[in-house]
Amino acid sequence: MMKTTIPSPFILSCLLFLILCGLSSAQLSANFYSKSCPNALSIIKSGVISAIQAETRMGASLLRLHFHDCFVNGCDGSILLDDTPTFTGEQTSKANNNSIRGLNVIDNIKAKLESCCPGVVSCADIVAVAARDSTVVLGGPSWNVLLGRRDSTTASKSAADNNLPAPTLNLNQLISSFSKHGFSARELVALSGGHTIGKARCTTFRARIYNDTNIDPLFASALQAICPQSGGDNNLTPMDPTPTTFDNCYFRDLLKQKGLFHSDQALYNGGSTDSIVETYTFNPFIFAKDFADAMLKMSNLGPLTGTRGQIRKNCGKVN
C-alpha cells in the first residue's frame, strides 16, 4: 500500500503564502503607480484635457475606446494593436472599422509617460484612466480607477465582431450581450447612457430612420436630410442635443422616441427596462452614480496582471 505523506505545517504555510501572493498580484489597486510613476495620473489627465480642448468630441471617443477594449477579452489594451502578419486585430472589426478614434491621443500620452517613467505604465491603464477623465471633463461623474493592468500581446478581429454590441440589436439581444460580461439590465441601461456625448455616423443609424416605426417622425425627417438612403455613410449627427455635455438628455430623448440607434430606443419600447430609463430621466443623480459604478465594474473586466501580458513601449505593437 502506498504511504500517504502529510505536508508539514511549515510547507502548508508556505503554500498558503504563495497562493495569497498569486491572488494579490491579480488585484488592481488605486495607488499602483504611487511609487513607480507618481505623476502618471496627472500626465494622463493633462493629455486628455489638451485633446478635448482641441476637439470636444474626443472625450466621447476616448470613453468609447475603453468600452470597446474591455468588451473584447477584457481591459487589456488589445484594441490599440495594429494588424501584423500573424494576426488581424480589432481595429477593422465591424464596430471599429472607420470609427475608432483616439489612438493618437493614447500614443501621445504614452510617449510622455515613457519619457518620465519608461516601461512602467500600461497602455490598458492609460485607456481606463482617459475614459474616466474624459467623462469628468465633459461634466460627468468620477470613479476611482483601479490600476495595474498589463497589455495583451495579441488581438482578435473575430472576438471583436462577436462581443461588441451592434446598434441594430433589440432589447433581448442587448441584455444577452451584456449579461455575458456579467452586467445586469440596469447596468446595461446605465452604460448606454454614455451615448449622451459624441456623434454617430450615418451608416450606424440609417436603418432606424427609414425603417423603424417607434421614432418621432419629425426627428426621423431631420436625420434623413443628413443621412440619405445611399451615400453619406460618414455624415455625422450628435448622439443627443447636448453632445459635448455629459448629462441625462439621452434618456429624455428616449421618452420622446428620439433615440438615435435602434438599440437606444430598444431600452424604452414597452419592455423591462422602461422603468430604469424613466428613473434616469427624472433623477440624473441616480444615473450619474449608476454610470460611475458600472464603469468601475467594466474597467475591471479580465485584466492581465502579475506576469501575464507585458507593458508595451509602443501601444500599437508588441514589444
Side-chain angles (χ1 to χ4, degrees):
M1 181 180 293
M2 183 179 293
K3 183 178 180 181
T4 302
T5 302
I6 300 175
S8 68
F10 173 75
I11 293 175
L12 287 172
S13 65
C14 287
L15 289 172
L16 179 60
F17 174 78
L18 290 173
I19 292 171
L20 290 175
C21 283
L23 290 174
S24 63
S25 70
Q27 293 175 349
L28 305 177
S29 66
N31 59 356
F32 188 82
Y33 298 114
S34 60
K35 294 182 179 179
S36 59
C37 192
N39 294 325
L41 293 181
S42 61
I43 290 173
I44 297 173
K45 183 177 181 180
S46 177
V48 169
I49 291 174
S50 296
I52 293 177
Q53 286 177 339
E55 182 194 6
T56 313
R57 183 188 171 203
M58 187 54 68
S61 298
L62 291 171
L63 177 61
R64 182 176 186 261
L65 188 67
H66 183 39
F67 175 80
H68 282 219
D69 182 32
C70 294
F71 259 52
V72 182
N73 298 326
C75 307
D76 59 2
S78 58
I79 194 170
L80 306 174
L81 285 172
D82 299 326
D83 292 354
T84 74
T86 58
F87 69 81
T88 301
E90 300 161 24
Q91 296 176 17
T92 56
S93 66
K94 290 179 290 187
N96 293 327
N97 196 31
N98 296 321
S99 68
I100 187 174
R101 304 176 77 248
L103 300 177
N104 60 322
V105 176
I106 301 300
D107 286 343
N108 291 338
I109 293 172
K110 176 64 173 176
K112 292 177 182 177
L113 287 167
E114 284 297 302
S115 65
C116 178
C117 34
V120 174
V121 183
S122 69
C123 300
D125 273 349
I126 297 172
V127 172
V129 176
R132 188 273 310 275
D133 290 349
S134 293
T135 302
V136 173
V137 170
L138 296 180
S142 183
W143 56 93
N144 196 16
V145 180
L146 302 181
L147 304 165
R149 298 166 193 78
R150 289 168 65 84
D151 300 320
S152 67
T153 56
T154 188
S156 170
K157 179 178 181 292
S158 62
D161 284 336
N162 292 327
N163 285 280
L164 293 173
T168 54
L169 297 187
N170 62 36
L171 181 59
N172 288 337
Q173 291 170 325
L174 286 168
I175 290 174
S176 174
S177 175
F178 277 71
S179 177
K180 290 177 184 177
H181 300 282
F183 292 105
S184 67
R186 186 180 185 95
E187 290 167 331
L188 152 67
V189 178
L191 289 172
S192 297
H195 285 174
T196 185
I197 54 176
K199 295 180 179 180
R201 295 183 304 144
C202 164
T203 186
T204 60
F205 59 85
R206 176 184 284 122
R208 167 159 168 72
I209 63 175
Y210 288 101
N211 301 326
D212 284 3
T213 57
N214 61 344
I215 187 169
D216 177 87
L218 292 178
F219 178 64
S221 178
L223 289 173
Q224 288 168 8
I226 299 169
C227 181
Q229 287 187 302
S230 63
D233 284 1
N234 293 320
N235 292 351
L236 297 171
T237 196
M239 293 295 295
D240 81 3
T242 56
T244 60
T245 302
F246 194 100
D247 53 26
N248 69 333
C249 279
Y250 167 82
F251 297 107
R252 282 184 263 165
D253 273 359
L254 297 186
L255 266 61
K256 303 173 186 175
Q257 293 192 318
K258 292 183 178 181
L260 185 59
F261 294 158
H262 180 88
S263 57
D264 290 327
Q265 197 60 56
L267 301 177
Y268 194 78
N269 193 39
S272 60
T273 54
D274 280 13
S275 61
I276 306 170
V277 171
E278 290 170 356
T279 296
Y280 293 160
T281 299
F282 300 111
N283 197 322
F285 299 105
I286 293 178
F287 163 54
K289 181 183 183 305
D290 284 0
F291 181 82
D293 290 345
M295 285 298 297
L296 177 59
K297 179 176 177 177
M298 187 188 77
S299 69
N300 294 336
L301 288 177
L304 299 175
T305 57
T307 57
R308 297 188 300 156
Q310 62 181 210
I311 307 299
R312 286 189 226 128
K313 297 175 183 178
N314 180 324
C315 290
K317 63 182 181 180
V318 176
N319 293 345

